[in-house]
Amino acid sequence: MDAITGEEVRRDGAGRRPLDQMTIVAEAIRFIDERGRERLTMRQLGARLGVEAMALYRYIPGREQLLDGVVEVVMDQLYGDTMVDNQAATWPEYLQQLAAGVRRLALTHPRIFPLIASRPPAAPWLRPPLRSLRWVEAFLEGLIGYGFSRGGSVTVYRSFATFLLGHLLLETAAAATLPDSGADDIELLESSDLANYPLLTEMAPQLSMDMYTDEFEAALEDLINRLALNRR
Amino acid sequence: MDAITGEEVRRDGAGRRPLDQMTIVAEAIRFIDERGRERLTMRQLGARLGVEAMALYRYIPGREQLLDGVVEVVMDQLYGDTMVDNQAATWPEYLQQLAAGVRRLALTHPRIFPLIASRPPAAPWLRPPLRSLRWVEAFLEGLIGYGFSRGGSVTVYRSFATFLLGHLLLETAAAATLPDSGADDIELLESSDLANYPLLTEMAPQLSMDMYTDEFEAALEDLINRLALNRR
DNA sequence: ACCTGAACACCGTTCAAGT
DNA sequence: ACCTGAACACCGTTCAAGT
């Protein structure tokens, strides 16, 4: 019996429960969070599930679709966090809460977030493209609920999505780079010795301060003001 | 004799001139522009240069460093386009010209541009990180020339770089996805049938209009206004 | 029903050998 | 001096075979 569900648990000869899509995708998410998406291979993922890579193909068409599944699960989590039971009283509050929710997700899964923008989108015609049509639909619906016209809600979607994805892709990119590729740079033209850059050297303390949060909030307030002014 | 330089050209038995770093990196840039960075392999790049993959290792330490070289060459091109002989009379004009130059580069090499943000940066402490320290140094110098304090120039760098990279990463991401991975999506929870999304269906024409240019310019003007207000 | 072994067509990279 | 063949340790993926 399973301790939580109380269901009868089937086990194979090696004492494993059989795989399924969700188990595999969930493990892939954990894998990418820990080691980055470059290192996610079918063979290594199989190993973590106690199985040969070939076994995964019974549940997942291939590696690309596995990555699509990862994005889909993460986007559904976002949908639940931000769109279900949203209590915002005004549209600026609504945007603030959505922004906070998306940023929380991006910082929780910094190595997965870039996939949201780089995977071939579900609706390539949507500008900017997003994997979760359900989220976009709910977003437009929310805005209309706050009194925006249909055309106005599209304008807001555009600038809000651009703002959010843009900022968070950048904030996230640093965290997503492999932490152990300590290889030397190719020396193409001149060495990038810090000594050649007096201003950089002098301002290094300020330049290295992590101000993403402040910058994010300042820019978001700005965007909301802009939208408020242009509203008709 | 070489038709252009007039120099004596060494050729090997197969009638090829010997390779060098620049030739290889330039071919890699062309390759990524045409077929995407996922498909750039040492073996295929070698083939385009009329050589086995192993020959490349005489000039390039490895694939990762080749990609670093690609970014470096592109950034140097950007430096030449935007920083050398910049004639802007005021700092807002300066930012407009830089923004236009960076966007031009991003749209010329949409499949290379994301590398600028995702490669391990030359100075990881720099926020936001950028591969070209030379460009950042010149940027700060320019701002100080227009009367910004040292601290003020850092603030402007931060918000300007965040804005630019963010917007362009997003605009560029669509173009960078492989155009021929027509595989079916994994069906995880529900099908993303457009019929379930009435607002999306209704607003499809507006949502599919490419408004990146307008959005980019509106947001840039906004940023400049914000910077002008906060200036001390 | 579910997993694996063997195989195929690819990778990046090293190094001794060819010219 | 410059390139290649052969090799190694990996990939994703297919499919007949095992339990």
Side-chain angles (χ1 to χ4, degrees), chain B:
Chain B
M1 300 263 285
D2 184 283
I4 293 158
T5 65
E7 279 171 32
E8 204 65 45
V9 175
R10 285 173 306 145
R11 296 186 182 278
D12 67 2
R16 283 190 250 93
R17 55 215 310 162
L19 289 172
D20 60 58
Q21 245 184 166
M22 267 318 300
T23 309
I24 295 172
V25 173
E27 191 64 40
I29 290 174
R30 239 168 289 139
F31 193 110
I32 298 176
D33 280 341
E34 286 169 27
R35 323 233 291 110
R37 65 189 175 289
E38 308 276 331
R39 287 203 267 268
L40 174 67
T41 68
M42 301 299 278
R43 287 167 136 105
Q44 297 225 37
L45 185 61
R48 279 172 58 134
L49 291 161
V51 112
E52 299 297 321
M54 310 78 175
L56 304 176
Y57 288 89
R58 189 158 283 273
Y59 307 96
I60 305 277
R63 186 178 186 271
E64 289 302 300
Q65 292 86 347
L66 174 61
L67 290 175
D68 287 342
V70 165
V71 170
E72 221 158 307
V73 165
V74 167
M75 286 305 280
D76 283 331
Q77 193 181 315
L78 179 69
Y79 183 89
D81 283 3
T82 59
M83 286 299 181
V84 177
D85 290 329
N86 190 301
Q87 305 284 1
T90 64
W91 67 265
E93 211 178 301
Y94 180 63
L95 294 188
Q96 307 257 24
Q97 288 190 11
L98 294 188
V102 176
R103 185 157 187 260
R104 211 182 308 125
L105 174 86
L107 300 184
T108 309
H109 300 292
R111 310 174 109 150
I112 292 176
F113 192 78
L115 290 174
I116 289 168
S118 69
R119 297 264 86 205
W125 47 267
L126 184 63
R127 308 269 149 172
L130 257 196
R131 292 287 315 181
S132 174
L133 300 184
R134 189 160 65 125
W135 197 89
V136 178
E137 177 80 13
F139 180 70
L140 296 174
E141 206 174 283
L143 287 175
I144 289 169
Y146 291 107
F148 276 88
S149 70
R150 280 158 147 67
S153 71
V154 171
T155 306
V156 173
Y157 167 73
R158 233 189 256 297
S159 43
F160 187 65
T162 303
F163 162 81
L164 259 191
L165 285 174
H167 267 260
L168 297 178
L169 278 180
L170 183 60
E171 187 169 356
T172 257
T177 49
L178 308 182
D180 63 74
S181 67
D184 288 315
D185 262 290
I186 190 177
E187 300 235 350
L188 261 178
L189 296 157
E190 76 277 292
S191 96
S192 56
D193 195 352
L194 201 57
N196 302 330
Y197 305 117
L199 283 170
L200 279 179
T201 309
E202 183 187 338
M203 309 306 282
Q206 290 90 316
L207 282 165
S208 62
M209 274 183 66
D210 185 339
M211 303 268 291
Y212 286 121
T213 306
D214 293 356
E215 178 60 31
F216 183 82
E217 265 151 29
L220 174 59
E221 229 181 278
D222 232 49
L223 171 66
I224 289 175
N225 289 338
R226 168 152 64 97
L227 292 173
L229 287 174
N230 293 347
R231 201 176 168 198
R232 74 244 95 196

Side-chain angles (χ1 to χ4, degrees), chain A residues 75 78-80 82-83 94 98-99 102 130 132-140 157 160-161 164, chain B residues 197:
Chain A
M75 286 304 280
L78 179 69
Y79 183 88
T82 59
M83 286 298 181
Y94 180 64
L98 294 188
V102 176
L130 258 196
S132 174
L133 299 184
R134 189 161 66 126
W135 197 91
V136 178
E137 177 80 13
F139 180 71
L140 295 175
Y157 167 74
F160 187 65
L164 259 191
Chain B
Y197 305 117

